[in-house]
Amino acid sequence: MFPSAENVYSGPDAAGFFGAYGGRFVPETVIPALEELTEAFEAALEDSEFTGELEDLRHDYIGRHTPMYRAKRLAEAVGLGAVYLKREDLCHTGAHKINNTIGQCLLAKRMGKKRVIAETGAGQHGVATATAATLMGLECAVFMGVEDIRRQSLNVYKMKLLGAEVIPVAEGTGTLADAVTAALRHWVERVDDTFYVLGSAVGPHPYPLMVREFQSVIGLEIIDQCGARGVDRLDAVVACVGGGSNAIGTFYPFVLGASVNGSGVLGRPLLVGAEAAGLGVDTDKTGASMTKGSPGVMHGFYSYLLQDDAGNPLEAYSISAGLDYPGVGPEHAHFKDEGLVRYEPVTDAEALAAFEQLTRTEGIIPAIESSHALALLPRLAAELGPDAVVVVTLSGRGDKDIDIVREAGLGVD
Amino acid sequence: MTSRLQAAFSAERASLVAYVMGGYPTREGSLAALHALADAGADVIELGIPYSDPLADGPVIREAADEARAAAGEAGFGLAETIDLAREFAEQRAAMPTGSPTPPFVLMGYLNPLMRMGLPKAAAAMREADVAGVIVPDLPPDMAGPWLAASAGIDTVFLAAPTSTPERLAKVGTMSGGFVYCVSSLGVTGERAELPPELADLVARVKASTELPVAVGFGVSTAAQAAAVAAVADGVVVGSAIVRRQRDADELRAFVAELAESVRSAR
């Protein structure tokens, strides 16, 4: 069921390309900063003081290892043998985003930076950046589209409580893609004193690599936890993909050929990414860049992109503010082309149904982003059979989305 | 070998590189603006390609691009339309009486439209339209291999920045064609009240890294600023301040003539 990939995968190359995708397509002004960042990141990973501090913060501050919970009632409801939820929703600040921001802010501090900026869609990355910046005594500004500020007012308030400046972005649709553009534009102006904490596995090299390294803790823990509890068979691993940070962290160790205790008993599970179809891939209200997009350059990297005939990036749409981004991380594009990971679109309606199902079977309220991944479970049950064992990365919790699901009419009789 | 673009610069005086947005406020309006630039004494014309996500541009140019795209209706105004505009302009100038100045053209736009059209096809269309060069701000020299392989006969002007290291200035200086575009200060395009005091040092560093002319842009918006830049650089690029006057051909012509005069008499 999984294509044979005996060669150990490694990427990116020195220029930041994963196969054809990635690179560094940005104004010259920030190229030296990206070169400096690449060197600093590589040196930090070699430095036991840095990795030790990161490990301590992961354990004592983020709350890792996050549990891997066996959701029996959900498994029964979707018709699978076993469903395990990798509980990134139990991380401090409520999502996997903190894994990355703690890493990048620690790096910013190490590089002597006093100020960080970030962009945010749903607000989780903004809250996580504001949190990490506060912890490390860094000044913080977060760019956020005006539409997302409206949709995610609770997270906006949290960022302000944490002492961050929230900068509204009114250009375009006032959503995540516009916030990324505004943050990159600002970075070009303040590159001499500002560290850009990028929130997903996108952007110019070394960001996709760096985000993958900080998020791979998710997949590595899944493998350890399968070993520790005697899970000797894993048929599929599922995660949602917007930019793709929780998914790259989940998938990467498996793509590398990971196995439990080196025995290989887990084999290579099917890896499936759920991307946001919005109202459907046959409509123009979609965020499914891999299903409906084509290769192009945006925000400094080359990857699958929703674009018009003239090469202008299109507006993405999803009910989830974290997934309505017209591009996807370059390593995912490479995985798709190589057949290493399968990507499937999930509509708003399917995600809402999965949201409701997890809430009602397990008493866990998931983020709408994560609900896209949960929506693939019935499809996998039909494909893999009733005995199949599946792990889903529950990337975040749903508190931030309560107003959206309320507007959608869930839980209201 | 001296390219057509490089030949638009002289050792004796600085040159004016004048930017207008293609298709803004309408296709006809931008064609008229191009003639105004040529008649008013621009030495090089930089023609902007409307794009929805212009990472290196400030509000004036962004809004002009949005308006150009919207004015063209459903089909939009993009790379193909901008090249066609350049072609028509070149044809009209060629049909004019001998002695009408026709400055060489540089297209300024972002990488994705070039990729979408296909790099060889885009380059062929530009050659056919008599385009002398391109400026692609999100294409640094390190990433430019495929484009350079496809674009023989067209100069690719790379950007040098205040943050560029000596190694990067050397790369920009040797890989550029036509001229080197020196970014005056950090940030995006747009008018600034003051130019940075260290500009002369920056220009000297860039000049030391290349045999090509060095033109300075980003933030130059008045005749006095243009004269100050012309005193230290081979060329002065003015964008936003011109685009802001692009709706009115007479105002545009008068402003560009004033810029050209001050650039020429600066040294």
Side-chain angles (χ1 to χ4, degrees), chain A residues 28-29 171 181 185 297 307, chain B residues 53 57 62 112 163 168:
Chain A
E28 174 65 27
T29 307
E171 281 90 18
T181 298
R185 206 185 274 287
V297 164
Q307 56 183 321
Chain B
D53 193 31
D57 285 303
R62 268 154 50 201
N112 200 46
T163 48
R168 291 210 58 86

Side-chain angles (χ1 to χ4, degrees), chain A residues 24-29 31-32 35 171 181 185 188-189 294 296-297 299 302 307-313, chain B residues 51-55 57 62 69 111-113 115-116 137-138 140-141 143 159 161 163-164 168 186-188:
Chain A
R24 206 177 250 175
F25 298 98
V26 287
E28 174 65 27
T29 307
I31 295 274
E35 289 182 339
E171 281 90 18
T181 298
R185 206 185 274 287
V188 177
E189 284 172 31
S294 53
V297 164
H299 294 154
Y302 179 63
Q307 56 183 321
D308 67 15
D309 291 341
N312 297 289
Chain B
Y51 183 58
S52 66
D53 193 31
L55 207 54
D57 285 303
R62 268 154 50 201
R69 292 175 61 233
L111 179 59
N112 200 46
M115 298 184 82
R116 184 71 174 169
D138 58 349
M143 299 282 126
L159 273 59
T163 48
S164 297
R168 291 210 58 86
L186 302 184
V188 295

Side-chain angles (χ1 to χ4, degrees), chain B residues 156-159 171-181 210 212:
Chain B
T156 301
V157 178
F158 289 109
L159 273 59
K171 191 179 272 187
V172 166
T174 50
M175 288 184 68
S176 255
F179 64 97
V180 172
Y181 191 135
T210 187
L212 294 172

Side-chain angles (χ1 to χ4, degrees), chain A residues 27 61 109 134 162 174 178 185 210 217 225 228 239 241 273 283 357:
Chain A
Y61 190 77
K109 195 176 79 169
T134 299
L162 288 159
D178 308 302
R185 206 185 274 287
M210 195 159 60
V217 66
Q225 287 165 324
V241 181
T283 73
Q357 186 172 49

Side-chain angles (χ1 to χ4, degrees), chain A residues 260-274:
Chain A
V260 174
N261 302 327
S263 65
V265 286
L266 280 183
R268 280 179 176 273
L270 180 68
L271 304 174
V272 193

Side-chain angles (χ1 to χ4, degrees), chain B residues 128-147:
Chain B
E128 201 262 329
D130 210 26
V131 168
V134 294
I135 299 170
V136 186
D138 58 349
L139 184 67
D142 328 64
M143 299 282 126
W147 166 249

